Amino acid sequence: MEISQANFGRYQERNVIKYTLTNDNGVSISVLNYGGIWQAYNVPTDTGQLNLLLSANNIDDYLHAGYGIAQTIGPVAGRIAAAQFVIDGHDYHLTPNEGQNLIHGGNHSWRKQFWAVATDIKDGVGRIILHRRFTPVDDGFPGNQVVHVVFSLHNDDSVNIDYYAETDQPTLFNPTNHTYWNLGDGNVPTVEDQTLQLNSDYHLAVDQGKLPTGQFLENVRTPYDFNRGVRLGNALNEMLKTPEKGFDDYFVVRPSTTFDQEPIATLSDPKSGRQMKMYSDRNSLVIFSANGLSDAKLNRPARDWAALALEAQALPDAIHHPSFGDIVLRPAEPKHYHVRYEIKY
């Protein structure tokens, strides 16, 4: 296992640094100190290294592309209705950044921040450790939070993302990473010929603002049914009937509390034989098929369905839907969430 770092450009008069872990098999991951961006998961092929993530080669191209590509999202992923919530009878108001609602933590959230970074190798596992203290002045959320986001690469080629947080006041905590996957060779422009399997029987009904209504909709006999594995192109073409013309949806999944259980998602590329299994200890997977992606300098053509975002989190807007799960972070009760990716190449 090796650790290296390189300059990735400048933003806000600061250097953006790319930290890279490379294991004994020649597999590597790279993470940026700005936005907690997971920039690469590189695997060896007959023609050289192949990045299985939708990616840019410098920070300027990431910022121009938008779409939150590979960013670490927090403290709360997804939308919060009316940018308002109540904890223990106290009413909190945030600054909305999508109409009247808040999305992805607001305009000063984790994905728009520089992080302190540490790296280490222990027992054959390499780690890139992002850490930062967030105050209400930083992000508008109550409490002072101390956050660590740990990316780890193992010699079995798996990657873990661990999210840790503690606070001095009750607040919210439901982070994720906006990683977009395309397992095809470098000349494969979309994920249409790849297959997706989910351990999901339901997805969430939403209103016109993409806020959950609280209703669970059955997946069976709909384009949302991935229980047995489906060619993505078949499902995506069915979704052309929707306003998004693709997926931008919240799936209810059965958490994988141990890795003896089934993954929440399995993405496969039949042509190359590559496969990614995703495990999570939370109850939701948000899927976005890069609908409308264009005019960006990325490692795949910037077009619809170029890659598939798979975002493990608790069900969105959970603070307004008690049945969705508890995302309140409390003093003396630190939280830890875990996501694991097992990759065969």
mmCIF file of all heavy atoms in Angstrom, residues 3-38:
data_model
loop_
_atom_site.group_PDB
_atom_site.id
_atom_site.type_symbol
_atom_site.label_atom_id
_atom_site.label_comp_id
_atom_site.label_asym_id
_atom_site.label_seq_id
_atom_site.Cartn_x
_atom_site.Cartn_y
_atom_site.Cartn_z
ATOM 1 N N ILE A 3 0.951 5.771 -0.419
ATOM 2 C CA ILE A 3 0.222 7.038 -0.336
ATOM 3 C C ILE A 3 0.997 8.086 -1.123
ATOM 4 O O ILE A 3 2.229 8.185 -1.003
ATOM 5 C CB ILE A 3 0.061 7.503 1.120
ATOM 6 C CG1 ILE A 3 -0.700 6.481 1.953
ATOM 7 C CG2 ILE A 3 -0.643 8.863 1.176
ATOM 8 C CD1 ILE A 3 -0.715 6.804 3.439
ATOM 9 N N SER A 4 0.287 8.873 -1.924
ATOM 10 C CA SER A 4 0.927 9.982 -2.620
ATOM 11 C C SER A 4 -0.034 11.160 -2.655
ATOM 12 O O SER A 4 -1.214 11.030 -2.344
ATOM 13 C CB SER A 4 1.327 9.581 -4.042
ATOM 14 O OG SER A 4 0.189 9.234 -4.806
ATOM 15 N N GLN A 5 0.469 12.302 -3.042
ATOM 16 C CA GLN A 5 -0.386 13.479 -3.197
ATOM 17 C C GLN A 5 0.139 14.351 -4.323
ATOM 18 O O GLN A 5 1.319 14.306 -4.673
ATOM 19 C CB GLN A 5 -0.494 14.275 -1.896
ATOM 20 C CG GLN A 5 0.783 14.889 -1.391
ATOM 21 C CD GLN A 5 0.585 15.576 -0.054
ATOM 22 O OE1 GLN A 5 0.391 14.934 0.975
ATOM 23 N NE2 GLN A 5 0.646 16.904 -0.063
ATOM 24 N N ALA A 6 -0.792 15.117 -4.922
ATOM 25 C CA ALA A 6 -0.432 15.964 -6.054
ATOM 26 C C ALA A 6 -1.352 17.169 -6.070
ATOM 27 O O ALA A 6 -2.476 17.133 -5.550
ATOM 28 C CB ALA A 6 -0.554 15.183 -7.367
ATOM 29 N N ASN A 7 -0.884 18.245 -6.679
ATOM 30 C CA ASN A 7 -1.703 19.440 -6.814
ATOM 31 C C ASN A 7 -2.794 19.206 -7.849
ATOM 32 O O ASN A 7 -2.558 18.601 -8.890
ATOM 33 C CB ASN A 7 -0.836 20.631 -7.207
ATOM 34 C CG ASN A 7 -1.573 21.949 -7.062
ATOM 35 O OD1 ASN A 7 -2.384 22.300 -7.904
ATOM 36 N ND2 ASN A 7 -1.283 22.670 -5.986
ATOM 37 N N PHE A 8 -3.995 19.716 -7.571
ATOM 38 C CA PHE A 8 -5.141 19.504 -8.453
ATOM 39 C C PHE A 8 -5.736 20.833 -8.914
ATOM 40 O O PHE A 8 -6.850 20.891 -9.397
ATOM 41 C CB PHE A 8 -6.192 18.662 -7.713
ATOM 42 C CG PHE A 8 -7.147 17.924 -8.611
ATOM 43 C CD1 PHE A 8 -6.739 16.811 -9.331
ATOM 44 C CD2 PHE A 8 -8.466 18.335 -8.730
ATOM 45 C CE1 PHE A 8 -7.617 16.115 -10.152
ATOM 46 C CE2 PHE A 8 -9.365 17.655 -9.557
ATOM 47 C CZ PHE A 8 -8.926 16.546 -10.265
ATOM 48 N N GLY A 9 -4.984 21.908 -8.726
ATOM 49 C CA GLY A 9 -5.463 23.237 -9.106
ATOM 50 C C GLY A 9 -5.613 24.130 -7.898
ATOM 51 O O GLY A 9 -5.240 23.773 -6.771
ATOM 52 N N ARG A 10 -6.170 25.324 -8.114
ATOM 53 C CA ARG A 10 -6.387 26.274 -7.028
ATOM 54 C C ARG A 10 -7.825 26.759 -7.053
ATOM 55 O O ARG A 10 -8.437 26.915 -8.123
ATOM 56 C CB ARG A 10 -5.435 27.473 -7.151
ATOM 57 C CG ARG A 10 -4.007 27.145 -6.743
ATOM 58 C CD ARG A 10 -3.100 28.364 -6.828
ATOM 59 N NE ARG A 10 -3.467 29.441 -5.904
ATOM 60 C CZ ARG A 10 -3.142 29.481 -4.617
ATOM 61 N NH1 ARG A 10 -2.457 28.484 -4.073
ATOM 62 N NH2 ARG A 10 -3.493 30.505 -3.873
ATOM 63 N N TYR A 11 -8.346 26.994 -5.844
ATOM 64 C CA TYR A 11 -9.699 27.533 -5.708
ATOM 65 C C TYR A 11 -9.729 28.365 -4.440
ATOM 66 O O TYR A 11 -9.183 27.967 -3.397
ATOM 67 C CB TYR A 11 -10.720 26.396 -5.628
ATOM 68 C CG TYR A 11 -12.150 26.873 -5.556
ATOM 69 C CD1 TYR A 11 -12.713 27.650 -6.565
ATOM 70 C CD2 TYR A 11 -12.955 26.565 -4.454
ATOM 71 C CE1 TYR A 11 -14.016 28.097 -6.495
ATOM 72 C CE2 TYR A 11 -14.260 27.004 -4.376
ATOM 73 C CZ TYR A 11 -14.781 27.769 -5.397
ATOM 74 O OH TYR A 11 -16.080 28.221 -5.320
ATOM 75 N N GLN A 12 -10.368 29.529 -4.519
ATOM 76 C CA GLN A 12 -10.450 30.453 -3.385
ATOM 77 C C GLN A 12 -9.062 30.743 -2.805
ATOM 78 O O GLN A 12 -8.874 30.789 -1.593
ATOM 79 C CB GLN A 12 -11.378 29.886 -2.302
ATOM 80 C CG GLN A 12 -12.818 29.749 -2.771
ATOM 81 C CD GLN A 12 -13.725 29.114 -1.728
ATOM 82 O OE1 GLN A 12 -13.266 28.511 -0.741
ATOM 83 N NE2 GLN A 12 -15.024 29.233 -1.937
ATOM 84 N N GLU A 13 -8.086 30.888 -3.714
ATOM 85 C CA GLU A 13 -6.704 31.224 -3.366
ATOM 86 C C GLU A 13 -6.042 30.163 -2.492
ATOM 87 O O GLU A 13 -5.099 30.451 -1.750
ATOM 88 C CB GLU A 13 -6.636 32.599 -2.694
ATOM 89 C CG GLU A 13 -7.162 33.722 -3.571
ATOM 90 C CD GLU A 13 -7.012 35.086 -2.934
ATOM 91 O OE1 GLU A 13 -6.628 35.156 -1.749
ATOM 92 O OE2 GLU A 13 -7.297 36.085 -3.624
ATOM 93 N N ARG A 14 -6.521 28.933 -2.614
ATOM 94 C CA ARG A 14 -5.917 27.820 -1.871
ATOM 95 C C ARG A 14 -5.623 26.678 -2.833
ATOM 96 O O ARG A 14 -6.307 26.510 -3.851
ATOM 97 C CB ARG A 14 -6.842 27.335 -0.750
ATOM 98 C CG ARG A 14 -7.092 28.368 0.323
ATOM 99 C CD ARG A 14 -8.032 27.839 1.386
ATOM 100 N NE ARG A 14 -7.477 26.669 2.090
ATOM 101 C CZ ARG A 14 -8.087 26.084 3.124
ATOM 102 N NH1 ARG A 14 -9.261 26.539 3.549
ATOM 103 N NH2 ARG A 14 -7.526 25.054 3.711
ATOM 104 N N ASN A 15 -4.629 25.879 -2.494
ATOM 105 C CA ASN A 15 -4.305 24.709 -3.295
ATOM 106 C C ASN A 15 -5.304 23.593 -3.036
ATOM 107 O O ASN A 15 -5.620 23.286 -1.882
ATOM 108 C CB ASN A 15 -2.906 24.209 -2.969
ATOM 109 C CG ASN A 15 -1.822 25.124 -3.497
ATOM 110 O OD1 ASN A 15 -2.028 25.825 -4.493
ATOM 111 N ND2 ASN A 15 -0.676 25.134 -2.845
ATOM 112 N N VAL A 16 -5.803 23.006 -4.111
ATOM 113 C CA VAL A 16 -6.599 21.792 -4.017
ATOM 114 C C VAL A 16 -5.640 20.617 -4.187
ATOM 115 O O VAL A 16 -4.901 20.542 -5.183
ATOM 116 C CB VAL A 16 -7.701 21.756 -5.094
ATOM 117 C CG1 VAL A 16 -8.490 20.454 -5.006
ATOM 118 C CG2 VAL A 16 -8.623 22.964 -4.951
ATOM 119 N N ILE A 17 -5.643 19.722 -3.218
ATOM 120 C CA ILE A 17 -4.703 18.601 -3.193
ATOM 121 C C ILE A 17 -5.446 17.297 -3.426
ATOM 122 O O ILE A 17 -6.504 17.062 -2.836
ATOM 123 C CB ILE A 17 -3.938 18.539 -1.859
ATOM 124 C CG1 ILE A 17 -3.245 19.873 -1.567
ATOM 125 C CG2 ILE A 17 -2.916 17.399 -1.877
ATOM 126 C CD1 ILE A 17 -2.221 20.296 -2.584
ATOM 127 N N LYS A 18 -4.876 16.471 -4.293
ATOM 128 C CA LYS A 18 -5.395 15.121 -4.524
ATOM 129 C C LYS A 18 -4.537 14.125 -3.747
ATOM 130 O O LYS A 18 -3.331 14.057 -3.939
ATOM 131 C CB LYS A 18 -5.379 14.781 -6.015
ATOM 132 C CG LYS A 18 -5.873 13.375 -6.322
ATOM 133 C CD LYS A 18 -6.008 13.118 -7.807
ATOM 134 C CE LYS A 18 -4.674 12.906 -8.481
ATOM 135 N NZ LYS A 18 -4.836 12.432 -9.881
ATOM 136 N N TYR A 19 -5.206 13.355 -2.865
ATOM 137 C CA TYR A 19 -4.542 12.317 -2.082
ATOM 138 C C TYR A 19 -4.881 10.966 -2.684
ATOM 139 O O TYR A 19 -6.060 10.677 -2.946
ATOM 140 C CB TYR A 19 -4.998 12.377 -0.625
ATOM 141 C CG TYR A 19 -4.603 13.662 0.073
ATOM 142 C CD1 TYR A 19 -5.380 14.812 -0.061
ATOM 143 C CD2 TYR A 19 -3.461 13.737 0.844
ATOM 144 C CE1 TYR A 19 -5.010 16.001 0.551
ATOM 145 C CE2 TYR A 19 -3.085 14.918 1.481
ATOM 146 C CZ TYR A 19 -3.867 16.043 1.322
ATOM 147 O OH TYR A 19 -3.496 17.215 1.940
ATOM 148 N N THR A 20 -3.880 10.125 -2.905
ATOM 149 C CA THR A 20 -4.082 8.849 -3.582
ATOM 150 C C THR A 20 -3.537 7.703 -2.749
ATOM 151 O O THR A 20 -2.402 7.774 -2.238
ATOM 152 C CB THR A 20 -3.407 8.844 -4.968
ATOM 153 O OG1 THR A 20 -3.979 9.879 -5.773
ATOM 154 C CG2 THR A 20 -3.576 7.509 -5.666
ATOM 155 N N LEU A 21 -4.353 6.654 -2.618
ATOM 156 C CA LEU A 21 -3.936 5.377 -2.026
ATOM 157 C C LEU A 21 -3.839 4.353 -3.149
ATOM 158 O O LEU A 21 -4.745 4.247 -3.969
ATOM 159 C CB LEU A 21 -4.949 4.892 -1.000
ATOM 160 C CG LEU A 21 -5.281 5.815 0.173
ATOM 161 C CD1 LEU A 21 -6.461 5.249 0.962
ATOM 162 C CD2 LEU A 21 -4.073 5.972 1.086
ATOM 163 N N THR A 22 -2.750 3.596 -3.192
ATOM 164 C CA THR A 22 -2.574 2.540 -4.188
ATOM 165 C C THR A 22 -2.253 1.243 -3.466
ATOM 166 O O THR A 22 -1.294 1.191 -2.671
ATOM 167 C CB THR A 22 -1.447 2.877 -5.173
ATOM 168 O OG1 THR A 22 -1.704 4.153 -5.774
ATOM 169 C CG2 THR A 22 -1.340 1.812 -6.260
ATOM 170 N N ASN A 23 -3.062 0.198 -3.727
ATOM 171 C CA ASN A 23 -2.842 -1.059 -3.000
ATOM 172 C C ASN A 23 -1.885 -1.975 -3.751
ATOM 173 O O ASN A 23 -1.336 -1.632 -4.807
ATOM 174 C CB ASN A 23 -4.171 -1.736 -2.655
ATOM 175 C CG ASN A 23 -4.883 -2.347 -3.851
ATOM 176 O OD1 ASN A 23 -4.339 -2.429 -4.960
ATOM 177 N ND2 ASN A 23 -6.114 -2.795 -3.628
ATOM 178 N N ASP A 24 -1.670 -3.176 -3.219
ATOM 179 C CA ASP A 24 -0.676 -4.096 -3.769
ATOM 180 C C ASP A 24 -1.086 -4.659 -5.122
ATOM 181 O O ASP A 24 -0.252 -5.264 -5.811
ATOM 182 C CB ASP A 24 -0.436 -5.250 -2.787
ATOM 183 C CG ASP A 24 0.133 -4.774 -1.457
ATOM 184 O OD1 ASP A 24 0.581 -3.606 -1.389
ATOM 185 O OD2 ASP A 24 0.116 -5.551 -0.485
ATOM 186 N N ASN A 25 -2.350 -4.471 -5.513
ATOM 187 C CA ASN A 25 -2.835 -4.981 -6.795
ATOM 188 C C ASN A 25 -2.823 -3.912 -7.887
ATOM 189 O O ASN A 25 -3.275 -4.172 -9.006
ATOM 190 C CB ASN A 25 -4.264 -5.518 -6.644
ATOM 191 C CG ASN A 25 -4.372 -6.561 -5.559
ATOM 192 O OD1 ASN A 25 -3.501 -7.427 -5.435
ATOM 193 N ND2 ASN A 25 -5.427 -6.488 -4.764
ATOM 194 N N GLY A 26 -2.355 -2.719 -7.547
ATOM 195 C CA GLY A 26 -2.366 -1.629 -8.512
ATOM 196 C C GLY A 26 -3.683 -0.891 -8.606
ATOM 197 O O GLY A 26 -3.872 -0.052 -9.491
ATOM 198 N N VAL A 27 -4.620 -1.186 -7.693
ATOM 199 C CA VAL A 27 -5.884 -0.445 -7.610
ATOM 200 C C VAL A 27 -5.651 0.796 -6.759
ATOM 201 O O VAL A 27 -4.950 0.745 -5.730
ATOM 202 C CB VAL A 27 -6.990 -1.324 -6.997
ATOM 203 C CG1 VAL A 27 -8.237 -0.508 -6.692
ATOM 204 C CG2 VAL A 27 -7.316 -2.470 -7.941
ATOM 205 N N SER A 28 -6.235 1.924 -7.157
ATOM 206 C CA SER A 28 -6.032 3.153 -6.395
ATOM 207 C C SER A 28 -7.328 3.929 -6.257
ATOM 208 O O SER A 28 -8.233 3.816 -7.086
ATOM 209 C CB SER A 28 -4.967 4.043 -7.054
ATOM 210 O OG SER A 28 -5.412 4.541 -8.299
ATOM 211 N N ILE A 29 -7.420 4.714 -5.192
ATOM 212 C CA ILE A 29 -8.478 5.688 -5.024
ATOM 213 C C ILE A 29 -7.839 7.037 -4.760
ATOM 214 O O ILE A 29 -6.751 7.127 -4.181
ATOM 215 C CB ILE A 29 -9.459 5.346 -3.886
ATOM 216 C CG1 ILE A 29 -8.776 5.407 -2.512
ATOM 217 C CG2 ILE A 29 -10.104 3.990 -4.116
ATOM 218 C CD1 ILE A 29 -9.748 5.331 -1.341
ATOM 219 N N SER A 30 -8.524 8.100 -5.202
ATOM 220 C CA SER A 30 -8.041 9.466 -4.967
ATOM 221 C C SER A 30 -9.176 10.310 -4.402
ATOM 222 O O SER A 30 -10.322 10.197 -4.846
ATOM 223 C CB SER A 30 -7.531 10.100 -6.263
ATOM 224 O OG SER A 30 -6.424 9.399 -6.774
ATOM 225 N N VAL A 31 -8.842 11.168 -3.433
ATOM 226 C CA VAL A 31 -9.810 12.036 -2.754
ATOM 227 C C VAL A 31 -9.212 13.431 -2.673
ATOM 228 O O VAL A 31 -8.008 13.593 -2.429
ATOM 229 C CB VAL A 31 -10.138 11.501 -1.344
ATOM 230 C CG1 VAL A 31 -11.097 12.436 -0.617
ATOM 231 C CG2 VAL A 31 -10.730 10.087 -1.426
ATOM 232 N N LEU A 32 -10.059 14.449 -2.873
ATOM 233 C CA LEU A 32 -9.610 15.842 -2.826
ATOM 234 C C LEU A 32 -9.896 16.468 -1.465
ATOM 235 O O LEU A 32 -10.887 16.134 -0.812
ATOM 236 C CB LEU A 32 -10.309 16.668 -3.906
ATOM 237 C CG LEU A 32 -10.244 16.147 -5.341
ATOM 238 C CD1 LEU A 32 -10.913 17.149 -6.277
ATOM 239 C CD2 LEU A 32 -8.821 15.859 -5.778
ATOM 240 N N ASN A 33 -9.053 17.426 -1.084
ATOM 241 C CA ASN A 33 -9.288 18.138 0.171
ATOM 242 C C ASN A 33 -10.391 19.182 0.042
ATOM 243 O O ASN A 33 -10.876 19.696 1.048
ATOM 244 C CB ASN A 33 -8.006 18.788 0.681
ATOM 245 C CG ASN A 33 -7.477 19.895 -0.236
ATOM 246 O OD1 ASN A 33 -7.720 19.893 -1.443
ATOM 247 N ND2 ASN A 33 -6.738 20.838 0.338
ATOM 248 N N TYR A 34 -10.810 19.519 -1.193
ATOM 249 C CA TYR A 34 -11.946 20.414 -1.372
ATOM 250 C C TYR A 34 -13.189 19.585 -1.686
ATOM 251 O O TYR A 34 -13.208 18.756 -2.602
ATOM 252 C CB TYR A 34 -11.722 21.419 -2.493
ATOM 253 C CG TYR A 34 -12.925 22.326 -2.686
ATOM 254 C CD1 TYR A 34 -13.164 23.372 -1.796
ATOM 255 C CD2 TYR A 34 -13.849 22.083 -3.691
ATOM 256 C CE1 TYR A 34 -14.285 24.174 -1.931
ATOM 257 C CE2 TYR A 34 -14.969 22.888 -3.838
ATOM 258 C CZ TYR A 34 -15.187 23.929 -2.950
ATOM 259 O OH TYR A 34 -16.300 24.715 -3.070
ATOM 260 N N GLY A 35 -14.245 19.806 -0.922
ATOM 261 C CA GLY A 35 -15.520 19.142 -1.164
ATOM 262 C C GLY A 35 -15.543 17.670 -0.825
ATOM 263 O O GLY A 35 -16.565 17.005 -1.033
ATOM 264 N N GLY A 36 -14.440 17.137 -0.302
ATOM 265 C CA GLY A 36 -14.401 15.702 -0.038
ATOM 266 C C GLY A 36 -14.691 14.900 -1.289
ATOM 267 O O GLY A 36 -15.337 13.842 -1.234
ATOM 268 N N ILE A 37 -14.209 15.362 -2.441
ATOM 269 C CA ILE A 37 -14.526 14.730 -3.726
ATOM 270 C C ILE A 37 -13.747 13.425 -3.866
ATOM 271 O O ILE A 37 -12.513 13.406 -3.763
ATOM 272 C CB ILE A 37 -14.192 15.687 -4.888
ATOM 273 C CG1 ILE A 37 -15.161 16.884 -4.877
ATOM 274 C CG2 ILE A 37 -14.238 14.969 -6.229
ATOM 275 C CD1 ILE A 37 -14.783 17.972 -5.873
ATOM 276 N N TRP A 38 -14.483 12.333 -4.115
ATOM 277 C CA TRP A 38 -13.866 11.041 -4.427
ATOM 278 C C TRP A 38 -13.557 11.061 -5.917
ATOM 279 O O TRP A 38 -14.415 10.795 -6.741
ATOM 280 C CB TRP A 38 -14.806 9.908 -4.038
ATOM 281 C CG TRP A 38 -14.223 8.539 -4.238
ATOM 282 C CD1 TRP A 38 -12.947 8.225 -4.607
ATOM 283 C CD2 TRP A 38 -14.904 7.289 -4.064
ATOM 284 N NE1 TRP A 38 -12.785 6.869 -4.680
ATOM 285 C CE2 TRP A 38 -13.953 6.268 -4.357
ATOM 286 C CE3 TRP A 38 -16.203 6.943 -3.703
ATOM 287 C CZ2 TRP A 38 -14.301 4.906 -4.296
ATOM 288 C CZ3 TRP A 38 -16.531 5.595 -3.648
ATOM 289 C CH2 TRP A 38 -15.589 4.581 -3.917
#
